[in-house]
Amino acid sequence: MLIFNIKYMKKINLFQKAACAMGVLLTIGCTDLEETTYSELSESNFYKTELELVQANLRPFTHMQAWLAWSGQNGYYYHNELSADQTAWPQKGRHGYDNADHIRQHYHTWTEQEGRLNSAWRLMWTGLGFVNTAIESIEAVDAASIGVTPERLASIVAEAKVLRAYHYMKIMDMWGNVPIVTTVGEPNNPATASREEVFTFIEQELLENVEKLQPLSPKLIGRMSRAVGYSILSELYLNAEVWSGTPRWEESVMYSDKVINGDGGSLTGNIALDQDPLGPFNNTNEDSPENIFQFPFSRKNDFGYDWRSFYMGFSNMTAALDVNYSGNNAFVVVPTAFNAYKENDIRKQEWFLFGPQYKLGTDEPILGSEEYNGQPFIYVNNIRRNTEGQTGEGSMTDGEENSGARFHKYRSGTQDDPNYLEGDYVIYRLTEMYFNKAEALMRLNNGNATQEAVDLINQSKVRYFTADDWVDEAYTTSTLTMEELLAERGREFIFEGKRRTDLIRFGAFTTNSWWDHEPSGDPNLTLYPIPFRQLQANPNLVQNPGY
């Protein structure tokens, strides 16, 4: 597997300056930024080879996994999943109350004082500072002096600018009205721009640079390829009505098509849906024909991928999977989300841990360690105090160690597997482009399914049912309603960090009920508040409405 070689030797105070210049309140100091502590190298003379230019781009990308993946940090993933209708982090006995942070996410009762929200802001804006620093530094390089063509240098700069656009798209998704900063150190306290202005900036950045990117190929894994740029544009235009006030469905169709038709390249020669339900998520998923953009983690290169903090159970579960890591027994599947899968759906059988748990390959039961200490351990589809005789739906404070079905979509392999913990975290895959195009086509048709939209969704769904079952499961133009499309999108992309955004686009985030969550009806909750500590640090920031 191709993996980053991180040797980014640039002065660390440049990155610190980048973050502080955006008004980001960090735990590191924001003074004495002109002092050269670690190196006498200047920005203009540091880069000597093309490899060093590429490494400059990889620094902000490796930072991005801290807020985008389920690495255990409190970034975009945490908020986009726990505020939606599929996963939750309930209190389980003496574990997981955590100042009620996760409870407020589930019930949509957060405030501007949320520490985890402030962490997300810091992580994402610091990453944006890293990107701006890389862009400025690379643009200052004389191409001829390091033996690259002007076109190649422009392509490397384009990678960084598309990565900046992606950062801004996710920041805009969470907070809407935010500053636009492209120069390190200028201005010191940037003012808030409207969401519409941010959208326009992102769109321009993408359109000016996407065709300069290289086509997706194995050497581009984990980097901004043309297929990635097209995928970002597909997502941007799919959400344009929410993010800018103007629908752009035709453009979403166009860029989805570019990916589907292979115009952006492929990891495997021909981009295609993976017919293996676990293919995009197993520990050799860099070979999946449908994956487009992913974090290339690798245990062999000391950057091994695991999901222990959010999704792995306590140490008793290590024997069930034959792994050497355990976790916080944190995220669980919301009961109504698990019920959304039919029993004959292969996704329900393969993507979840549910029911009695056994030591891998045996009939020896795993034993509980908390409420079920010494008893056979059984994951149940409810979140309540069963050991105390509680009935009903329960609540976020009523969990037990075995509450809820659990994550099993990604597979690390067993400890004797040569590819153990070599799996990548997928950001975009081809299936999403099928769903994006189908949704845009339906919206262009007044919310009614066209035959093309039905065919696109059926090409995805057919992978998860036997031939006998498929007769009754295939969608038609009558059965594929907008409500059903949202439900099927949820079933397909569960655990992939996309659900809050989807619910908002379908108008369901503040109007739908799920499990014990009752809708607020407050449209202001579709944006998070600017964290209070950031408002204190930058007086030019403007708080979002309703907070």
Side-chain angles (χ1 to χ4, degrees):
M1 163 189 260
L2 179 65
I3 194 71
F4 321 131
N5 182 15
I6 303 302
K7 296 179 181 176
Y8 195 63
M9 298 160 55
K10 214 163 155 38
K11 293 182 292 183
I12 196 168
N13 62 318
L14 288 175
F15 293 130
Q16 186 177 345
K17 178 193 284 187
C20 294
M22 292 185 187
V24 180
L25 183 62
L26 302 172
T27 55
I28 57 176
C30 291
T31 58
D32 298 324
L33 296 181
E34 297 302 322
E35 180 182 355
T36 303
T37 306
Y38 299 100
S39 173
E40 296 303 320
L41 296 172
S42 69
E43 294 181 60
S44 61
N45 70 14
F46 175 78
Y47 302 111
K48 299 298 184 184
T49 67
E50 180 179 344
L51 175 62
E52 290 174 345
L53 295 178
V54 172
Q55 289 169 343
N57 271 345
L58 292 180
R59 175 62 187 93
F61 181 74
T62 55
H63 173 82
M64 192 168 75
Q65 60 84 27
W67 59 262
L68 188 61
W70 47 56
S71 60
Q73 301 204 47
N74 303 304
Y76 179 87
Y77 185 91
Y78 171 93
H79 292 87
N80 227 41
E81 284 290 349
L82 290 193
S83 63
D85 62 351
Q86 293 185 309
T87 60
W89 188 340
Q91 180 182 359
K92 306 177 193 72
R94 61 195 178 104
H95 298 284
Y97 180 71
D98 297 338
N99 195 38
D101 292 352
H102 328 306
I103 295 170
R104 289 191 297 277
Q105 286 297 313
H106 179 75
Y107 294 125
H108 293 185
T109 56
W110 52 73
T111 73
E112 65 181 9
Q113 300 282 358
E114 302 293 333
R116 295 174 192 265
L117 188 65
N118 187 61
S119 294
W121 178 281
R122 288 192 302 105
L123 284 166
M124 296 170 77
W125 282 98
T126 299
L128 192 57
F130 288 172
V131 182
N132 281 339
T133 298
I135 291 171
E136 288 189 27
S137 300
I138 297 169
E139 286 185 325
V141 171
D142 176 68
S145 69
I146 62 171
V148 301
T149 66
E151 292 78 15
R152 181 71 187 105
L153 183 63
S155 180
I156 295 172
V157 172
E159 283 191 52
K161 289 188 174 181
V162 171
L163 182 60
R164 178 167 66 187
Y166 184 79
H167 275 71
Y168 260 115
M169 187 172 73
K170 295 305 177 183
I171 289 170
M172 175 183 65
D173 183 19
M174 284 192 66
W175 292 287
N177 311 294
V178 295
I180 300 172
V181 179
T182 60
T183 303
V184 176
E186 298 177 13
N188 189 46
N189 287 310
T192 296
S194 71
R195 200 180 205 183
E196 294 77 15
E197 291 173 313
V198 179
F199 181 96
T200 299
F201 168 77
I202 295 167
E203 180 185 25
Q204 179 178 348
E205 192 97 328
L206 290 168
L207 294 178
E208 289 178 353
N209 290 282
V210 68
E211 297 301 337
K212 299 175 185 177
L213 299 173
Q214 299 178 75
L216 177 61
S217 68
K219 73 175 183 179
L220 267 291
I221 191 170
R223 289 170 56 189
M224 286 291 173
S225 68
R226 198 173 301 160
V228 174
Y230 292 156
S231 299
I232 297 171
L233 281 162
S234 171
E235 180 181 1
L236 181 75
Y237 289 130
L238 189 70
N239 291 283
E241 186 171 29
V242 173
W243 291 344
S244 74
T246 302
R248 304 284 291 276
W249 311 120
E250 293 93 342
E251 289 96 328
S252 185
V253 170
M254 180 176 70
Y255 283 101
S256 298
D257 269 338
K258 285 181 177 292
V259 180
I260 293 168
N261 295 335
D263 296 346
S266 168
L267 286 177
T268 58
N270 293 304
I271 196 164
L273 296 181
D274 198 321
Q275 297 306 305
D276 179 355
L278 293 174
F281 315 109
N282 63 27
N283 60 11
T284 58
N285 61 350
E286 72 275 11
D287 298 325
S288 174
E290 81 163 73
N291 286 346
I292 298 168
F293 188 32
Q294 58 217 80
F295 289 118
F297 290 92
S298 173
R299 174 185 56 87
K300 298 173 184 176
N301 289 279
D302 297 321
F303 200 49
Y305 177 50
D306 69 75
W307 42 84
R308 71 185 71 184
S309 293
F310 286 165
Y311 281 118
M312 184 59 184
F314 291 141
S315 58
N316 61 327
M317 281 300 295
T318 60
L321 303 178
D322 188 14
V323 297
N324 64 354
Y325 55 86
S326 59
N328 294 329
N329 199 32
F331 285 22
V332 311
V333 179
V334 168
T336 47
F338 192 60
N339 287 336
Y341 294 86
K342 294 184 178 181
E343 293 303 318
N344 60 348
D345 191 329
I346 293 172
R347 293 172 294 192
K348 190 169 190 176
Q349 302 161 20
E350 294 286 353
W351 290 359
F352 303 92
L353 294 173
F354 184 70
Q357 299 300 301
Y358 300 95
K359 184 176 180 180
L360 188 65
T362 77
D363 58 3
E364 179 182 342
I366 298 295
L367 303 181
S369 60
E370 295 289 327
E371 291 87 357
Y372 297 90
N373 186 32
Q375 302 176 49
F377 192 66
I378 304 171
Y379 285 126
V380 297
N381 189 33
N382 55 67
I383 303 172
R384 63 189 181 212
R385 302 295 296 175
N386 292 310
T387 57
E388 299 172 7
Q390 184 179 12
T391 59
E393 64 185 9
S395 75
M396 284 288 288
T397 57
D398 293 326
E400 296 183 326
E401 63 176 315
N402 66 338
S403 292
R406 301 303 177 91
F407 167 92
H408 201 40
K409 194 171 189 177
Y410 279 73
R411 304 294 179 89
S412 64
T414 56
Q415 296 181 69
D416 61 354
D417 186 333
N419 292 307
Y420 179 58
L421 286 174
E422 290 293 304
D424 301 342
Y425 174 78
V426 180
I427 302 167
Y428 285 120
R429 55 190 179 98
L430 182 61
T431 304
E432 186 171 355
M433 300 303 108
Y434 277 58
F435 272 79
N436 288 3
K437 181 180 178 181
E439 180 182 333
L441 289 172
M442 290 176 66
R443 293 187 185 277
L444 287 167
N445 195 39
N446 297 315
N448 299 309
T450 65
Q451 189 58 51
E452 185 177 9
V454 169
D455 292 343
L456 287 164
I457 301 305
N458 278 341
Q459 286 179 69
S460 168
K461 186 180 178 183
V462 70
R463 298 175 290 180
Y464 310 119
F465 294 89
T466 66
D468 289 341
D469 287 343
W470 182 243
V471 175
D472 296 322
E473 299 298 337
Y475 288 122
T476 67
T477 54
S478 298
T479 59
L480 185 61
T481 63
M482 291 299 293
E483 182 179 5
E484 179 58 26
L485 180 64
L486 176 61
E488 180 63 15
R489 190 173 180 108
R491 288 186 286 265
E492 179 63 28
F493 297 106
I494 192 168
F495 306 127
E496 295 188 42
K498 305 176 186 294
R499 191 58 173 171
R500 168 185 162 272
T501 308
D502 290 343
L503 290 176
I504 291 171
R505 190 175 63 257
F506 277 80
F509 187 67
T510 60
T511 60
N512 279 19
S513 300
W514 53 85
W515 179 40
D516 74 327
H517 171 97
E518 294 298 329
S520 67
D522 183 358
N524 291 322
L525 293 176
T526 59
L527 288 177
Y528 279 106
I530 307 298
F532 178 71
R533 293 184 66 191
Q534 304 305 328
L535 293 171
Q536 289 182 309
N538 179 0
N540 292 326
L541 292 175
V542 178
Q543 184 58 280
N544 284 324
Y547 295 103

